[in-house]
Amino acid sequence: MKKCDVIVVGAGDVGLGIAFKAASENLKVTLIDKENVGGTCVNNGCVPSKTLICTADRIMETQETAKLGFYTNIVEIDFSAVMKRTRDIVTRARDSIKKAIEETENLAFMNSEGHFIDEYTLEVGNEKIEGKKIFVASGARPSMPPVKGLDTIQYLTNESILGLKKRPESMIFIGGGYVGLEYAHFFSAVGTKVTIIDRNLTLLPFEEQEISDGLKKEIGRRIELRMGYETVEVRRAPGGYVVLVKEIGSGELKEIFAEAVMVAAGRRSNADLLRVANAGIETDKANFIKVDDYLQTNKKHIWALGDAIGRAMFTHAGDKESELAWHNATQKKRIKMDFASVPHAVFTYPQIASVGLTETQARKDHEVLIGKAIYSDTVMGEAMAEHEGFAKAIVDKRTETILGFHIAGPHASVLIQEVVNAVITGGDVKSITRCMHIFPALSSLIVETLSNLA
Ligand SMILES: Cc1cc2nc3c(=O)[nH]c(=O)nc-3n(C[C@H](O)[C@H](O)[C@H](O)COP(=O)(O)OP(=O)(O)OC[C@H]3O[C@@H](n4cnc5c(N)ncnc54)[C@H](O)[C@@H]3O)c2cc1C
């Protein structure tokens, strides 16, 4: 039996954060991962998808230059070069993590699948290893919907899509959540005919209503949206696949053909692979690991974090959890994870970004003021000829605390940051509006929105 101070399961962003921290404190650390280091974000999540989307955004902007008074033609999109560039970026990121692990003293990496055999012992490959403290950052994987025939075809997921060398002429996305929408944006921008099938009538139903509606309108101009449809069956057909869909309301069936099918139907927990039940670690109905506000499981020396807990499934949230889980495991005064102020962005076209409550959520417990502005209310927004993008603020009427802020339009994920900083530090409207904002930068959109409260 091998013994160590700290075992970290998962060499994704979140597990790596803990492993490096623990090793830097002279503890004997074992990091376990069955796949490539870097986890979802580096290998098949944020890094590749945003690299591809960067290309897609430039293509879209190029197609829209007429509004600025000049005309462009895209001569050629070299799909295979776009994909290769993305794979190269992923490889470089992964290699630099590998190197950092190798160069870190006290950190042993085991590249095998592990599972609990009792509370503080894991079996990894042929070895048994016991840890005084265990951090579970085992992440999640694509969820497969129960669609007849799906297991008989070669569908794509966020894990296999990077292997594509040739652009499919047409693609069907099963699932229109953020993963599906982001990849749909990329493929439609490079010229693939894209159809999205989703059970919900609303696109991204957890977003502010105007954002969902606006995105549906914008994206619906270039992507066929089958909202309120269920995928019933998939089967091979010459040159591709036929997908049988059913409109949930009417029960009407329809067949759609595409050269490729991508499944983007949510994420499922990896807790089953890790056999957490052998350690008595509690999971929720969806099998994500249950933790308290301090990220501790029901076991005294076992913490869980990142996608493994199924809460705010974003890298930035996981990174924060990693910092807090380590703090809480090693310090007397523990700190709660603040899930309410986790921001997020969806890198579609338009880009959307959001922090805090939606108007409907806020009205349940607050009397609210609402502020709205469109990009072209600002000098830079008008200069960009950006007439669709907008922002919306939801503010507590009595205290002027910012309860929620939502943006759809260029650079939304960057613009939201000053609001995030205010929300996290408990700032009110004035904490933003009293600061000078560089004129005429797009950041005036935030000030404009907060100046229109009523
Ligand atoms: C397509 C896509 C795009 C995304 N884009 C963004 C984005 O733009 N911004 C953002 O913030 N978030 C984004 N995310 C989410 C983000 O990638 C995840 O929230 C984040 O990577 C989770 O990190 P993690 O360390 O918790 O889990 P992971 O990175 O999934 O790491 C878990 C690791 O545990 C290993 N593991 C699991 N079980 C075992 C076992 N039994 N034994 C050994 N190893 C095991 C796995 O192999 C894996 O490497 C995206 C996700 C996807 C799928």
Side-chain angles (χ1 to χ4, degrees):
M1 171 90 76
K2 202 170 146 185
K3 295 197 180 201
C4 61
D5 298 312
V6 173
I7 296 177
V8 181
V9 183
D13 263 298
V14 180
L16 284 166
I18 294 270
F20 286 130
K21 184 78 185 130
S24 75
E25 299 194 6
N26 274 332
L27 296 165
K28 208 174 150 208
V29 184
T30 301
L31 174 65
I32 301 165
D33 203 303
K34 61 187 173 57
E35 315 264 350
N36 284 318
V37 296
T40 304
C41 184
V42 168
N43 295 292
N44 44 54
C46 334
V47 173
S49 64
K50 266 80 258 183
T51 305
L52 295 172
I53 283 164
C54 209
T55 298
D57 287 352
R58 294 297 88 73
I59 293 170
M60 294 299 295
E61 285 161 14
T62 309
Q63 285 168 348
E64 290 173 354
T65 60
K67 68 182 182 186
L68 302 175
F70 69 105
Y71 302 88
T72 48
N73 254 332
I74 296 176
V75 179
E76 191 193 336
I77 296 168
D78 184 346
F79 182 79
S80 125
V82 171
M83 298 305 282
K84 181 175 177 309
R85 185 178 93 89
T86 306
R87 285 192 293 272
D88 288 348
I89 288 176
V90 168
T91 307
R92 281 204 296 277
R94 199 158 58 208
D95 287 349
S96 82
I97 296 171
K98 263 192 220 155
K99 189 160 176 274
I101 292 174
E102 280 159 16
E103 287 174 356
T104 302
E105 268 183 59
N106 308 319
L107 179 57
F109 178 54
M110 298 178 80
N111 202 185
S112 286
E113 182 160 328
H115 59 263
F116 281 96
I117 48 177
D118 67 37
E119 268 187 339
Y120 295 100
T121 317
L122 282 129
E123 191 168 59
V124 186
N126 300 324
E127 282 195 72
K128 289 193 179 58
I129 172 158
E130 189 184 85
K132 289 185 194 148
K133 287 183 168 64
I134 299 182
F135 295 85
V136 180
S138 52
R141 62 187 187 271
S143 177
M144 286 303 125
V147 172
K148 193 175 164 198
L150 198 55
D151 53 351
T152 65
I153 70 157
Q154 260 202 317
Y155 56 79
L156 297 162
T157 67
N158 65 293
E159 293 180 353
S160 55
I161 203 132
L162 274 193
L164 275 185
K165 303 259 166 28
K166 189 177 157 289
R167 178 181 66 80
E169 283 301 322
S170 53
M171 262 177 109
I172 292 172
F173 282 73
I174 302 177
Y178 84 90
V179 171
L181 283 172
E182 289 186 351
Y183 272 108
H185 160 43
F186 166 70
F187 280 99
S188 103
V190 295
T192 297
K193 179 181 177 296
V194 174
T195 305
I196 291 179
I197 301 158
D198 198 286
R199 294 176 57 89
N200 291 313
L201 284 171
T202 311
L203 209 55
L204 300 179
F206 302 113
E207 299 294 341
E208 183 63 35
Q209 181 79 46
E210 286 107 313
I211 300 261
S212 299
D213 293 346
L215 185 67
K216 192 171 172 182
K217 193 173 124 208
E218 277 295 314
I219 228 159
R221 288 182 184 147
R222 59 198 179 98
I223 291 172
E224 189 181 338
L225 294 173
R226 293 259 165 202
M227 304 304 295
Y229 278 79
E230 189 170 25
T231 310
V232 180
E233 188 182 346
V234 186
R235 61 174 190 276
R236 263 177 236 277
Y241 304 98
V242 167
V243 178
L244 179 68
V245 296
K246 181 168 90 179
E247 189 174 17
I248 294 168
S250 66
E252 193 187 319
L253 294 166
K254 188 173 166 52
E255 286 190 342
I256 313 172
F257 170 85
E259 203 181 306
V261 172
M262 171 148 176
V263 180
R267 313 272 300 154
R268 62 172 288 194
S269 163
N270 282 334
D272 53 342
L273 309 176
L274 193 54
R275 301 187 211 163
V276 296
N278 290 347
I281 298 170
E282 285 176 7
T283 52
D284 64 16
K285 270 193 268 167
N287 207 27
F288 286 102
I289 296 172
K290 278 194 194 173
V291 289
D292 63 13
D293 291 342
Y294 305 95
L295 303 165
Q296 191 162 5
T297 67
N298 58 317
K299 296 289 156 185
K300 193 152 187 257
H301 300 295
I302 305 181
W303 289 262
L305 56 160
D307 281 8
I309 61 171
R311 300 282 293 273
M313 294 171 73
F314 304 107
T315 297
H316 47 272
D319 288 345
K320 188 73 198 167
E321 287 160 26
S322 166
E323 184 189 317
L324 294 183
W326 182 254
H327 174 94
N328 292 339
T330 53
Q331 306 295 318
K332 276 213 174 72
K333 197 170 180 318
R334 300 185 304 160
I335 304 171
K336 285 186 184 177
M337 173 68 194
D338 173 13
F339 286 104
S341 56
V342 175
H344 70 270
V346 185
F347 293 81
T348 38
Y349 198 87
Q351 200 174 90
I352 65 184
S354 162
V355 62
L357 303 177
T358 61
E359 182 178 345
T360 312
Q361 289 167 337
R363 284 197 185 280
K364 285 186 188 143
D365 298 313
H366 302 264
E367 216 180 317
V368 300
L369 296 171
I370 303 293
K372 291 184 188 177
I374 54 174
Y375 275 59
S376 51
D377 287 340
T378 69
V379 171
M380 188 58 82
E382 187 62 89
M384 293 163 71
E386 178 50 57
H387 300 296
E388 309 271 356
F390 66 95
K392 174 171 175 178
I394 298 130
V395 168
D396 182 275
K397 188 172 180 183
R398 193 176 55 81
T399 61
E400 291 219 330
T401 309
I402 301 167
L403 302 171
F405 205 99
H406 311 271
I407 309 176
H411 311 294
S413 61
V414 179
L415 291 173
I416 197 93
Q417 192 60 47
E418 71 166 318
V419 188
V420 174
N421 297 351
V423 168
I424 286 174
T425 53
D428 59 7
V429 170
K430 286 194 193 67
S431 70
I432 291 179
T433 53
R434 70 163 176 245
C435 299
M436 277 190 276
H437 285 69
I438 291 170
F439 184 80
L442 210 45
S443 54
S444 12
L445 176 70
I446 308 297
V447 181
E448 190 67 29
T449 309
L450 292 171
S451 309
N452 289 337
L453 293 169

